[in-house]
Amino acid sequence: MALYLGLDCSTQSLTAVVIRIPERKIEGVWSVNFEHRLPHWGTESGVLRHEDPRICHSPPLMWVEALDVLFSDMKRDGFPFEQVQAVAGSAQQHGSVYLSARAEEALQRLPEAKNLKEGLSGIFTRETSPIWMDSSTSEECREITEAVGGMQALSELTGSAAFERFTGPQIRRFYKTEPDAYNATWQIHLVSSFMASVLAGRPAPIDPGDGSGMNLMDIKTRVWAPRALEATAPNLKEKLPPIAPSDSVFSKISTYFVKRYGFSPETDVVVWSGDNPNSLIGVGLVERGKVTISLGTSDTYFGFMPEVRVDPAGEGHLFGSPTGHYMSLICFINGSLARERIRDSLGLDWDGFSKALEDTPPGNQGKVMLPWFDPEITPKVLEPGVRRYRLKEDDPANVRACIEAQAISMRIHSEWMGVKTKTILATGGASANRAILQVLADVHDAEVYQFEVTASAALGAALRSYHAHFKLQGNEIPWPEVVSGFTDPDPSKKVLPRSQYKERYQELIELYKACEEHALRGGPDPTPRLEAFARKYPS
Ligand code: XUL
């Protein structure tokens, strides 16, 4: 009997999922919400808001402090830390942590520290970390793209066009705006490799899954790409940790955690990865066929991909999968952030939100919203602002307009992946809402399964720790076997597409495209077409 621990350091919280092997059971789930449990950091849902809405940072010491809070909660609940064989982790992608030369010694000396926060304060050359919601680096994106030889060249080299939130453009901005601090930086980590370093008490490598969210790694060979590094900042290679396979154990756990919480000194620490690559495992996408829609702070749409295929429009991404293959992904910033804003502006709770959704007809009588509360990633919208067509701001139909917009946008912007989806796995907080899943099923004309475990990234990390631990002992378990029993969709949680609405949604998808054309590229006003749609489908 053995326990495997998976941690997920997301935008809003730090979560632990523990699995028990060979019983193949989830032993427990614990979570620490940053805003509520660590209010002294002054974040809003884990993010430090800036007067410039494009700038989004988080304090790295908050994530570190959360680790002590999380393990203390588990200890209070009598969790048997000594039975944990290995720990792997997941973190929000793209965010970067800038360490000074003091960091190495501070990590080593953690066992003597009063707590993690105290032991690791003063090790940063940048006190706050730019995170994936930051969109302040458009100029740097242009510069990098040009230096590498254009969007197509960068995309083929690194798996993605340059994106504001990707780590390379963020590093370039830091180098340009704070050159002294950049020069004083010893190592630049991702949130994932930083948290892994804390657990191990020494610098951790970056895995190809998270490395591919940087615009710095050669997506085919999985090594740092010299052309991309040169285009980004000087001496960057020496500041980046090495890249190591996602299923490698790189250290034993730091004595700090042995002394304080009772972990065994033999506990293996596995290389961490990004939340999306971890979720790929956590929902069992280890072979081609299905796709996942993750309804979290951001919404993501992703699938397993056996071969290299990049988005010619430059909107989507190709990341490394922890299985050694690839995954395709598109990310929407206005996910739960948009749903919460609508809920609050209409004075509803989640039940009221679901009711408003159920009380409005599919197609919403031609009332359409482009829910760009924050700058949007897909499609690229740098000047935020919600656009409404035939929709007043206080109309309860805003609920359906938001949910339909999110579902349709996913459908339109995932066409490059070239898979006609028959089965969608829904995960993340909002996947518990069946009314939302019905919209997804109808818009995508696919069956949608709701997942039991909403913490799919942390579960994926727990499964990765189990896989890596066995591999280290010379007993590599095939991935379908690793995930089996944990990620099988529950047939009673299936939502079917309703054929009577198929044609209606096909029409609405075209109209939604016209709204995007109008809002982004000066296309004709789609209002008359929406009015005709409303007459055709009044209820
Ligand atoms: C993916 C992305 C987000 C973050 C959120 O590219 O930016 O999904 O990983 O945690």
Side-chain angles (χ1 to χ4, degrees):
M1 182 182 70
L3 299 181
Y4 293 91
L5 170 61
L7 296 167
D8 175 37
C9 185
S10 79
T11 317
Q12 308 206 24
S13 53
L14 179 69
T15 301
V17 168
V18 179
I19 58 171
R20 183 177 284 280
I21 301 292
E23 291 82 353
R24 311 189 74 78
K25 278 174 60 180
I26 293 186
E27 183 79 1
V29 180
W30 289 261
S31 197
V32 170
N33 179 286
F34 300 138
E35 180 180 329
H36 301 138
R37 297 288 299 279
L38 303 166
H40 45 280
W41 288 101
T43 67
E44 200 182 289
S45 305
V47 185
L48 297 165
R49 290 289 181 174
H50 194 275
E51 57 194 18
D52 179 347
R54 292 172 305 174
I55 297 179
C56 287
H57 285 213
S58 291
L61 264 186
M62 174 184 75
W63 301 323
V64 162
E65 190 183 353
L67 198 54
D68 265 335
V69 176
L70 180 78
F71 286 163
S72 301
D73 284 359
M74 292 169 75
K75 192 170 175 182
R76 178 205 60 206
D77 293 350
F79 178 73
F81 285 99
E82 70 287 354
Q83 291 178 26
V84 174
Q85 306 296 307
V87 46
S90 152
Q92 54 170 304
Q93 296 199 248
H94 318 295
S96 40
V97 181
Y98 299 75
L99 302 179
S100 73
R102 294 185 51 200
E104 192 164 26
E105 198 194 335
L107 285 168
Q108 262 165 23
R109 297 182 68 159
L110 269 182
E112 300 153 35
K114 194 168 119 224
N115 54 46
L116 292 175
K117 184 179 160 198
E118 194 189 271
L120 296 176
S121 64
I123 64 163
F124 305 97
T125 55
R126 202 178 188 184
E127 285 308 310
T128 59
S129 293
I131 63 158
W132 65 277
M133 291 164 72
D134 191 287
S135 58
S136 64
T137 64
S138 303
E139 192 178 298
E140 289 71 23
C141 286
R142 270 194 300 277
E143 291 163 352
I144 292 171
T145 307
E146 200 184 312
V148 172
M151 189 268 271
Q152 206 61 36
L154 183 63
S155 195
E156 269 159 28
L157 180 65
T158 68
S160 296
F163 277 85
E164 280 72 7
R165 70 192 192 287
F166 274 43
T167 325
Q170 291 290 344
I171 293 174
R172 178 161 180 80
R173 182 147 192 90
F174 183 51
Y175 153 68
K176 278 169 58 188
T177 53
E178 296 180 57
D180 293 343
Y182 173 78
N183 287 328
T185 302
W186 166 64
Q187 275 193 347
I188 302 175
H189 279 269
L190 292 177
V191 184
S192 58
S193 62
F194 170 63
M195 292 300 279
S197 307
V198 174
L199 265 186
R202 63 184 172 106
I206 286 179
D207 92 304
D210 224 8
S212 38
M214 301 173 82
N215 282 140
L216 292 175
M217 190 192 84
D218 184 324
I219 188 75
K220 297 191 191 92
T221 56
R222 298 169 186 230
V223 295
W224 298 123
R227 253 192 314 148
L229 298 185
E230 279 156 30
T232 302
N235 309 320
L236 185 49
K237 176 104 195 275
E238 61 205 48
K239 297 184 193 296
L240 291 174
I243 298 174
S246 320
D247 60 359
S248 45
V249 169
F250 75 96
S251 180
K252 296 288 179 199
I253 201 162
S254 161
T255 313
Y256 173 88
F257 299 97
V258 176
K259 278 178 31 188
R260 198 168 165 118
Y261 299 107
F263 277 97
S264 153
E266 290 309 309
T267 312
D268 286 329
V269 184
V270 180
V271 175
W272 283 40
S273 186
D275 50 2
N276 294 296
N278 275 288
S279 278
L280 191 81
I281 305 297
V283 297
L285 291 192
V286 293
E287 287 157 314
R288 195 171 200 143
K290 306 168 191 146
V291 300
T292 290
I293 289 178
S294 166
L295 303 169
T297 310
S298 66
D299 287 346
T300 52
Y301 178 109
F302 58 83
F304 177 87
M305 212 174 243
E307 76 280 328
V308 174
R309 177 197 281 253
V310 293
D311 177 8
E315 281 176 350
H317 314 301
L318 189 69
F319 290 157
S321 143
T323 58
H325 303 90
Y326 297 93
M327 66 181 290
S328 52
L329 177 137
I330 38 175
C331 178
F332 303 85
I333 225 170
N334 289 288
S336 73
L337 292 169
R339 293 185 285 274
E340 281 164 21
R341 300 258 192 114
I342 297 284
R343 180 200 59 186
D344 296 345
S345 70
L346 295 173
L348 301 169
D349 56 15
W350 283 122
D351 285 344
F353 186 91
S354 301
K355 185 157 186 320
L357 187 55
E358 278 155 0
D359 285 351
T360 39
N364 213 23
Q365 296 161 319
K367 296 176 183 176
V368 172
M369 171 195 291
L370 303 177
W372 301 327
F373 289 90
D374 278 312
E376 183 49 77
I377 295 168
T378 318
K380 190 182 272 197
V381 181
L382 292 173
E383 293 297 326
V386 176
R387 273 69 154 187
R388 291 180 172 83
Y389 295 89
R390 304 189 64 255
L391 180 64
K392 297 235 162 51
E393 221 176 310
D394 57 353
D395 186 340
N398 275 277
V399 171
R400 177 167 287 276
C402 174
I403 300 300
E404 287 187 340
Q406 292 174 330
I408 293 175
S409 192
M410 283 178 183
R411 168 111 191 230
I412 298 174
H413 297 284
S414 63
E415 274 163 9
W416 66 274
M417 295 179 194
V419 220
K420 169 68 192 105
T421 314
K422 282 268 159 274
T423 307
I424 294 174
L425 309 174
T427 164
S431 65
N433 185 320
R434 281 183 82 87
I436 294 181
L437 301 193
Q438 185 63 61
V439 175
L440 285 174
D442 290 342
V443 166
H444 289 261
D445 188 27
E447 49 185 34
V448 177
Y449 287 89
Q450 179 201 337
F451 257 60
E452 191 75 22
V453 173
T454 45
S456 57
L459 173 62
L463 291 166
R464 290 204 307 109
S465 75
Y466 153 49
H467 175 261
H469 181 74
F470 272 73
K471 186 177 173 193
L472 189 68
Q473 293 162 352
N475 181 12
E476 187 164 356
I477 307 168
W479 280 103
E481 213 176 291
V482 171
V483 301
S484 149
F486 286 104
T487 61
D488 307 327
D490 174 352
S492 70
K493 298 274 173 67
K494 185 158 78 170
V495 179
L496 291 173
R498 296 172 298 180
S499 55
Q500 68 269 37
Y501 298 120
K502 191 171 166 174
E503 201 186 303
R504 183 183 300 206
Y505 274 121
Q506 266 162 1
E507 286 176 42
L508 189 64
I509 289 167
E510 292 312 312
L511 291 175
Y512 189 88
K513 282 185 186 166
C515 294
E516 280 196 355
E517 266 316 298
H518 175 251
L520 297 176
R521 288 173 285 275
D525 186 345
T527 307
R529 290 173 66 195
L530 288 168
E531 277 163 1
F533 177 88
R535 282 193 295 276
K536 186 167 173 194
Y537 302 111
S539 56

